[in-house]
PDB file of all heavy atoms in Angstrom:
ATOM      1  N   GLY A 199     -23.671  21.470   8.461  1.00  0.00           N
ATOM      2  CA  GLY A 199     -23.747  22.749   7.777  1.00  0.00           C
ATOM      3  C   GLY A 199     -22.956  23.830   8.483  1.00  0.00           C
ATOM      4  O   GLY A 199     -22.281  24.641   7.840  1.00  0.00           O
ATOM      5  N   GLN A 209     -19.978  20.997   1.351  1.00  0.00           N
ATOM      6  CA  GLN A 209     -20.613  20.118   2.326  1.00  0.00           C
ATOM      7  C   GLN A 209     -20.126  18.679   2.210  1.00  0.00           C
ATOM      8  O   GLN A 209     -19.837  18.040   3.228  1.00  0.00           O
ATOM      9  CB  GLN A 209     -22.142  20.217   2.174  1.00  0.00           C
ATOM     10  CG  GLN A 209     -22.904  19.244   3.039  1.00  0.00           C
ATOM     11  CD  GLN A 209     -23.259  17.995   2.268  1.00  0.00           C
ATOM     12  OE1 GLN A 209     -23.736  18.061   1.152  1.00  0.00           O
ATOM     13  NE2 GLN A 209     -23.009  16.838   2.857  1.00  0.00           N
ATOM     14  N   PRO A 210     -20.004  18.120   0.998  1.00  0.00           N
ATOM     15  CA  PRO A 210     -19.482  16.754   0.936  1.00  0.00           C
ATOM     16  C   PRO A 210     -18.054  16.646   1.470  1.00  0.00           C
ATOM     17  O   PRO A 210     -17.713  15.637   2.091  1.00  0.00           O
ATOM     18  CB  PRO A 210     -19.544  16.419  -0.551  1.00  0.00           C
ATOM     19  CG  PRO A 210     -20.622  17.284  -1.088  1.00  0.00           C
ATOM     20  CD  PRO A 210     -20.523  18.553  -0.318  1.00  0.00           C
ATOM     21  N   SER A 213     -18.343  16.385   5.107  1.00  0.00           N
ATOM     22  CA  SER A 213     -18.855  15.077   5.487  1.00  0.00           C
ATOM     23  C   SER A 213     -17.770  14.010   5.417  1.00  0.00           C
ATOM     24  O   SER A 213     -17.737  13.098   6.240  1.00  0.00           O
ATOM     25  CB  SER A 213     -20.021  14.687   4.570  1.00  0.00           C
ATOM     26  OG  SER A 213     -21.214  15.301   4.981  1.00  0.00           O
ATOM     27  N   ARG A 233     -30.957  16.787  10.738  1.00  0.00           N
ATOM     28  CA  ARG A 233     -29.691  17.370  11.168  1.00  0.00           C
ATOM     29  C   ARG A 233     -28.885  16.346  11.955  1.00  0.00           C
ATOM     30  O   ARG A 233     -29.433  15.538  12.693  1.00  0.00           O
ATOM     31  CB  ARG A 233     -29.971  18.611  12.022  1.00  0.00           C
ATOM     32  CG  ARG A 233     -28.817  19.562  12.087  1.00  0.00           C
ATOM     33  CD  ARG A 233     -29.305  20.958  12.400  1.00  0.00           C
ATOM     34  NE  ARG A 233     -30.068  21.549  11.294  1.00  0.00           N
ATOM     35  CZ  ARG A 233     -30.906  22.572  11.438  1.00  0.00           C
ATOM     36  NH1 ARG A 233     -31.101  23.106  12.610  1.00  0.00           N
ATOM     37  NH2 ARG A 233     -31.551  23.044  10.391  1.00  0.00           N
ATOM     38  N   ARG A 234     -27.583  16.377  11.774  1.00  0.00           N
ATOM     39  CA  ARG A 234     -26.681  15.508  12.529  1.00  0.00           C
ATOM     40  C   ARG A 234     -25.799  16.377  13.396  1.00  0.00           C
ATOM     41  O   ARG A 234     -25.057  17.223  12.881  1.00  0.00           O
ATOM     42  CB  ARG A 234     -25.802  14.683  11.588  1.00  0.00           C
ATOM     43  CG  ARG A 234     -26.553  13.960  10.508  1.00  0.00           C
ATOM     44  CD  ARG A 234     -27.375  12.839  11.108  1.00  0.00           C
ATOM     45  NE  ARG A 234     -28.304  12.280  10.141  1.00  0.00           N
ATOM     46  CZ  ARG A 234     -28.044  11.208   9.404  1.00  0.00           C
ATOM     47  NH1 ARG A 234     -26.900  10.617   9.534  1.00  0.00           N
ATOM     48  NH2 ARG A 234     -28.941  10.747   8.556  1.00  0.00           N
ATOM     49  N   TYR A 236     -22.645  16.645  15.510  1.00  0.00           N
ATOM     50  CA  TYR A 236     -21.368  15.987  15.779  1.00  0.00           C
ATOM     51  C   TYR A 236     -20.778  16.540  17.064  1.00  0.00           C
ATOM     52  O   TYR A 236     -20.753  17.751  17.277  1.00  0.00           O
ATOM     53  CB  TYR A 236     -20.410  16.217  14.612  1.00  0.00           C
ATOM     54  CG  TYR A 236     -20.665  15.289  13.445  1.00  0.00           C
ATOM     55  CD1 TYR A 236     -21.605  15.599  12.476  1.00  0.00           C
ATOM     56  CD2 TYR A 236     -19.981  14.091  13.349  1.00  0.00           C
ATOM     57  CE1 TYR A 236     -21.845  14.733  11.422  1.00  0.00           C
ATOM     58  CE2 TYR A 236     -20.214  13.223  12.291  1.00  0.00           C
ATOM     59  CZ  TYR A 236     -21.143  13.551  11.334  1.00  0.00           C
ATOM     60  OH  TYR A 236     -21.389  12.693  10.301  1.00  0.00           O
TER      61      TYR A 236
ATOM     62  P    DG C 155     -38.676  22.954  -4.738  1.00  0.00           P
ATOM     63  OP1  DG C 155     -38.920  24.257  -5.364  1.00  0.00           O
ATOM     64  OP2  DG C 155     -38.016  21.863  -5.500  1.00  0.00           O
ATOM     65  O5'  DG C 155     -37.837  23.186  -3.403  1.00  0.00           O
ATOM     66  C5'  DG C 155     -38.407  23.913  -2.326  1.00  0.00           C
ATOM     67  C4'  DG C 155     -37.740  23.533  -1.026  1.00  0.00           C
ATOM     68  O4'  DG C 155     -38.073  22.165  -0.691  1.00  0.00           O
ATOM     69  C3'  DG C 155     -36.207  23.604  -1.052  1.00  0.00           C
ATOM     70  O3'  DG C 155     -35.753  24.208   0.137  1.00  0.00           O
ATOM     71  C2'  DG C 155     -35.788  22.147  -1.153  1.00  0.00           C
ATOM     72  C1'  DG C 155     -36.898  21.478  -0.337  1.00  0.00           C
ATOM     73  N9   DG C 155     -37.074  20.067  -0.636  1.00  0.00           N
ATOM     74  C8   DG C 155     -37.174  19.486  -1.879  1.00  0.00           C
ATOM     75  N7   DG C 155     -37.336  18.192  -1.829  1.00  0.00           N
ATOM     76  C5   DG C 155     -37.346  17.898  -0.471  1.00  0.00           C
ATOM     77  C6   DG C 155     -37.494  16.654   0.186  1.00  0.00           C
ATOM     78  O6   DG C 155     -37.643  15.534  -0.293  1.00  0.00           O
ATOM     79  N1   DG C 155     -37.444  16.821   1.578  1.00  0.00           N
ATOM     80  C2   DG C 155     -37.282  18.008   2.228  1.00  0.00           C
ATOM     81  N2   DG C 155     -37.265  17.962   3.549  1.00  0.00           N
ATOM     82  N3   DG C 155     -37.143  19.177   1.618  1.00  0.00           N
ATOM     83  C4   DG C 155     -37.190  19.048   0.279  1.00  0.00           C
ATOM     84  P    DA C 156     -34.240  24.725   0.213  1.00  0.00           P
ATOM     85  OP1  DA C 156     -34.285  26.189   0.128  1.00  0.00           O
ATOM     86  OP2  DA C 156     -33.435  23.943  -0.747  1.00  0.00           O
ATOM     87  O5'  DA C 156     -33.794  24.301   1.679  1.00  0.00           O
ATOM     88  C5'  DA C 156     -34.774  24.205   2.711  1.00  0.00           C
ATOM     89  C4'  DA C 156     -34.280  23.262   3.793  1.00  0.00           C
ATOM     90  O4'  DA C 156     -34.618  21.897   3.430  1.00  0.00           O
ATOM     91  C3'  DA C 156     -32.765  23.295   4.005  1.00  0.00           C
ATOM     92  O3'  DA C 156     -32.493  23.212   5.392  1.00  0.00           O
ATOM     93  C2'  DA C 156     -32.276  22.060   3.268  1.00  0.00           C
ATOM     94  C1'  DA C 156     -33.449  21.100   3.439  1.00  0.00           C
ATOM     95  N9   DA C 156     -33.578  20.134   2.356  1.00  0.00           N
ATOM     96  C8   DA C 156     -33.579  20.396   1.013  1.00  0.00           C
ATOM     97  N7   DA C 156     -33.731  19.331   0.264  1.00  0.00           N
ATOM     98  C5   DA C 156     -33.847  18.297   1.176  1.00  0.00           C
ATOM     99  C6   DA C 156     -34.037  16.908   1.027  1.00  0.00           C
ATOM    100  N6   DA C 156     -34.141  16.305  -0.162  1.00  0.00           N
ATOM    101  N1   DA C 156     -34.108  16.155   2.137  1.00  0.00           N
ATOM    102  C2   DA C 156     -34.008  16.766   3.326  1.00  0.00           C
ATOM    103  N3   DA C 156     -33.835  18.059   3.597  1.00  0.00           N
ATOM    104  C4   DA C 156     -33.765  18.778   2.473  1.00  0.00           C
ATOM    105  P    DA C 157     -30.995  23.470   5.924  1.00  0.00           P
ATOM    106  OP1  DA C 157     -31.091  24.135   7.240  1.00  0.00           O
ATOM    107  OP2  DA C 157     -30.215  24.074   4.827  1.00  0.00           O
ATOM    108  O5'  DA C 157     -30.435  21.990   6.148  1.00  0.00           O
ATOM    109  C5'  DA C 157     -30.998  21.195   7.173  1.00  0.00           C
ATOM    110  C4'  DA C 157     -30.363  19.817   7.145  1.00  0.00           C
ATOM    111  O4'  DA C 157     -30.807  19.128   5.959  1.00  0.00           O
ATOM    112  C3'  DA C 157     -28.824  19.833   7.085  1.00  0.00           C
ATOM    113  O3'  DA C 157     -28.313  19.039   8.142  1.00  0.00           O
ATOM    114  C2'  DA C 157     -28.498  19.260   5.719  1.00  0.00           C
ATOM    115  C1'  DA C 157     -29.717  18.406   5.421  1.00  0.00           C
ATOM    116  N9   DA C 157     -29.970  18.232   3.984  1.00  0.00           N
ATOM    117  C8   DA C 157     -29.952  19.185   3.014  1.00  0.00           C
ATOM    118  N7   DA C 157     -30.220  18.736   1.812  1.00  0.00           N
ATOM    119  C5   DA C 157     -30.432  17.377   2.001  1.00  0.00           C
ATOM    120  C6   DA C 157     -30.764  16.328   1.128  1.00  0.00           C
ATOM    121  N6   DA C 157     -30.938  16.491  -0.189  1.00  0.00           N
ATOM    122  N1   DA C 157     -30.904  15.087   1.653  1.00  0.00           N
ATOM    123  C2   DA C 157     -30.735  14.933   2.971  1.00  0.00           C
ATOM    124  N3   DA C 157     -30.424  15.841   3.898  1.00  0.00           N
ATOM    125  C4   DA C 157     -30.290  17.054   3.348  1.00  0.00           C
ATOM    126  P    DC C 158     -26.768  19.078   8.462  1.00  0.00           P
ATOM    127  OP1  DC C 158     -26.597  18.884   9.908  1.00  0.00           O
ATOM    128  OP2  DC C 158     -26.166  20.253   7.811  1.00  0.00           O
ATOM    129  O5'  DC C 158     -26.263  17.767   7.714  1.00  0.00           O
ATOM    130  C5'  DC C 158     -26.783  16.522   8.148  1.00  0.00           C
ATOM    131  C4'  DC C 158     -26.606  15.475   7.087  1.00  0.00           C
ATOM    132  O4'  DC C 158     -27.156  15.916   5.835  1.00  0.00           O
ATOM    133  C3'  DC C 158     -25.160  15.112   6.760  1.00  0.00           C
ATOM    134  O3'  DC C 158     -24.824  13.932   7.478  1.00  0.00           O
ATOM    135  C2'  DC C 158     -25.165  14.871   5.240  1.00  0.00           C
ATOM    136  C1'  DC C 158     -26.625  15.051   4.855  1.00  0.00           C
ATOM    137  N1   DC C 158     -26.834  15.667   3.509  1.00  0.00           N
ATOM    138  C2   DC C 158     -27.260  14.861   2.458  1.00  0.00           C
ATOM    139  O2   DC C 158     -27.458  13.660   2.660  1.00  0.00           O
ATOM    140  N3   DC C 158     -27.440  15.408   1.238  1.00  0.00           N
ATOM    141  C4   DC C 158     -27.222  16.712   1.057  1.00  0.00           C
ATOM    142  N4   DC C 158     -27.422  17.209  -0.167  1.00  0.00           N
ATOM    143  C5   DC C 158     -26.796  17.560   2.117  1.00  0.00           C
ATOM    144  C6   DC C 158     -26.612  17.001   3.325  1.00  0.00           C
ATOM    145  P    DA C 159     -23.360  13.313   7.252  1.00  0.00           P
ATOM    146  OP1  DA C 159     -23.038  12.549   8.466  1.00  0.00           O
ATOM    147  OP2  DA C 159     -22.450  14.354   6.775  1.00  0.00           O
ATOM    148  O5'  DA C 159     -23.608  12.287   6.059  1.00  0.00           O
ATOM    149  C5'  DA C 159     -24.516  11.225   6.235  1.00  0.00           C
ATOM    150  C4'  DA C 159     -24.565  10.359   4.988  1.00  0.00           C
ATOM    151  O4'  DA C 159     -25.041  11.158   3.875  1.00  0.00           O
ATOM    152  C3'  DA C 159     -23.215   9.777   4.568  1.00  0.00           C
ATOM    153  O3'  DA C 159     -23.323   8.372   4.437  1.00  0.00           O
ATOM    154  C2'  DA C 159     -22.900  10.443   3.228  1.00  0.00           C
ATOM    155  C1'  DA C 159     -24.250  10.913   2.735  1.00  0.00           C
ATOM    156  N9   DA C 159     -24.180  12.169   1.981  1.00  0.00           N
ATOM    157  C8   DA C 159     -23.848  13.402   2.463  1.00  0.00           C
ATOM    158  N7   DA C 159     -23.890  14.351   1.564  1.00  0.00           N
ATOM    159  C5   DA C 159     -24.274  13.693   0.414  1.00  0.00           C
ATOM    160  C6   DA C 159     -24.501  14.140  -0.902  1.00  0.00           C
ATOM    161  N6   DA C 159     -24.362  15.410  -1.283  1.00  0.00           N
ATOM    162  N1   DA C 159     -24.880  13.226  -1.819  1.00  0.00           N
ATOM    163  C2   DA C 159     -25.011  11.946  -1.437  1.00  0.00           C
ATOM    164  N3   DA C 159     -24.838  11.410  -0.234  1.00  0.00           N
ATOM    165  C4   DA C 159     -24.464  12.343   0.657  1.00  0.00           C
ATOM    166  P    DT C 160     -22.018   7.519   4.227  1.00  0.00           P
ATOM    167  OP1  DT C 160     -22.261   6.208   4.846  1.00  0.00           O
ATOM    168  OP2  DT C 160     -20.867   8.339   4.612  1.00  0.00           O
ATOM    169  O5'  DT C 160     -21.965   7.326   2.646  1.00  0.00           O
ATOM    170  C5'  DT C 160     -23.111   6.817   1.978  1.00  0.00           C
ATOM    171  C4'  DT C 160     -22.953   6.917   0.466  1.00  0.00           C
ATOM    172  O4'  DT C 160     -23.026   8.301   0.059  1.00  0.00           O
ATOM    173  C3'  DT C 160     -21.632   6.370  -0.086  1.00  0.00           C
ATOM    174  O3'  DT C 160     -21.938   5.389  -1.061  1.00  0.00           O
ATOM    175  C2'  DT C 160     -20.959   7.586  -0.721  1.00  0.00           C
ATOM    176  C1'  DT C 160     -22.143   8.482  -1.012  1.00  0.00           C
ATOM    177  N1   DT C 160     -21.823   9.943  -1.075  1.00  0.00           N
ATOM    178  C2   DT C 160     -22.013  10.617  -2.254  1.00  0.00           C
ATOM    179  O2   DT C 160     -22.434  10.091  -3.263  1.00  0.00           O
ATOM    180  N3   DT C 160     -21.694  11.952  -2.200  1.00  0.00           N
ATOM    181  C4   DT C 160     -21.211  12.658  -1.116  1.00  0.00           C
ATOM    182  O4   DT C 160     -20.961  13.848  -1.194  1.00  0.00           O
ATOM    183  C5   DT C 160     -21.041  11.889   0.085  1.00  0.00           C
ATOM    184  C7   DT C 160     -20.527  12.545   1.324  1.00  0.00           C
ATOM    185  C6   DT C 160     -21.353  10.577   0.045  1.00  0.00           C
ATOM    186  P    DC C 162     -19.447   4.255  -7.973  1.00  0.00           P
ATOM    187  OP1  DC C 162     -20.160   3.456  -8.978  1.00  0.00           O
ATOM    188  OP2  DC C 162     -18.488   3.606  -7.042  1.00  0.00           O
ATOM    189  O5'  DC C 162     -18.684   5.426  -8.739  1.00  0.00           O
ATOM    190  C5'  DC C 162     -19.424   6.287  -9.616  1.00  0.00           C
ATOM    191  C4'  DC C 162     -18.605   7.506  -9.979  1.00  0.00           C
ATOM    192  O4'  DC C 162     -18.405   8.318  -8.806  1.00  0.00           O
ATOM    193  C3'  DC C 162     -17.205   7.211 -10.529  1.00  0.00           C
ATOM    194  O3'  DC C 162     -17.090   7.755 -11.832  1.00  0.00           O
ATOM    195  C2'  DC C 162     -16.251   7.883  -9.553  1.00  0.00           C
ATOM    196  C1'  DC C 162     -17.145   8.943  -8.931  1.00  0.00           C
ATOM    197  N1   DC C 162     -16.709   9.391  -7.581  1.00  0.00           N
ATOM    198  C2   DC C 162     -16.475  10.750  -7.360  1.00  0.00           C
ATOM    199  O2   DC C 162     -16.653  11.554  -8.275  1.00  0.00           O
ATOM    200  N3   DC C 162     -16.078  11.156  -6.127  1.00  0.00           N
ATOM    201  C4   DC C 162     -15.909  10.256  -5.154  1.00  0.00           C
ATOM    202  N4   DC C 162     -15.522  10.698  -3.969  1.00  0.00           N
ATOM    203  C5   DC C 162     -16.138   8.867  -5.361  1.00  0.00           C
ATOM    204  C6   DC C 162     -16.531   8.483  -6.579  1.00  0.00           C
ATOM    205  P    DG C 177      31.749  15.967  -2.382  1.00  0.00           P
ATOM    206  OP1  DG C 177      31.430  17.387  -2.163  1.00  0.00           O
ATOM    207  OP2  DG C 177      32.707  15.566  -3.430  1.00  0.00           O
ATOM    208  O5'  DG C 177      32.266  15.353  -1.001  1.00  0.00           O
ATOM    209  C5'  DG C 177      31.369  15.321   0.107  1.00  0.00           C
ATOM    210  C4'  DG C 177      31.832  14.292   1.117  1.00  0.00           C
ATOM    211  O4'  DG C 177      31.669  12.962   0.573  1.00  0.00           O
ATOM    212  C3'  DG C 177      33.311  14.419   1.514  1.00  0.00           C
ATOM    213  O3'  DG C 177      33.413  14.338   2.917  1.00  0.00           O
ATOM    214  C2'  DG C 177      33.963  13.218   0.823  1.00  0.00           C
ATOM    215  C1'  DG C 177      32.830  12.201   0.845  1.00  0.00           C
ATOM    216  N9   DG C 177      32.916  11.154  -0.162  1.00  0.00           N
ATOM    217  C8   DG C 177      33.065  11.322  -1.516  1.00  0.00           C
ATOM    218  N7   DG C 177      33.097  10.185  -2.170  1.00  0.00           N
ATOM    219  C5   DG C 177      32.950   9.212  -1.188  1.00  0.00           C
ATOM    220  C6   DG C 177      32.903   7.798  -1.295  1.00  0.00           C
ATOM    221  O6   DG C 177      32.996   7.101  -2.300  1.00  0.00           O
ATOM    222  N1   DG C 177      32.734   7.195  -0.038  1.00  0.00           N
ATOM    223  C2   DG C 177      32.618   7.882   1.143  1.00  0.00           C
ATOM    224  N2   DG C 177      32.471   7.145   2.246  1.00  0.00           N
ATOM    225  N3   DG C 177      32.669   9.204   1.255  1.00  0.00           N
ATOM    226  C4   DG C 177      32.823   9.800   0.063  1.00  0.00           C
TER     227       DG C 177
END
Side-chain angles (χ1 to χ4, degrees):
Chain A
Q209 174 264 313
S213 279
R233 202 156 291 160
R234 310 290 169 95
Y236 280 86

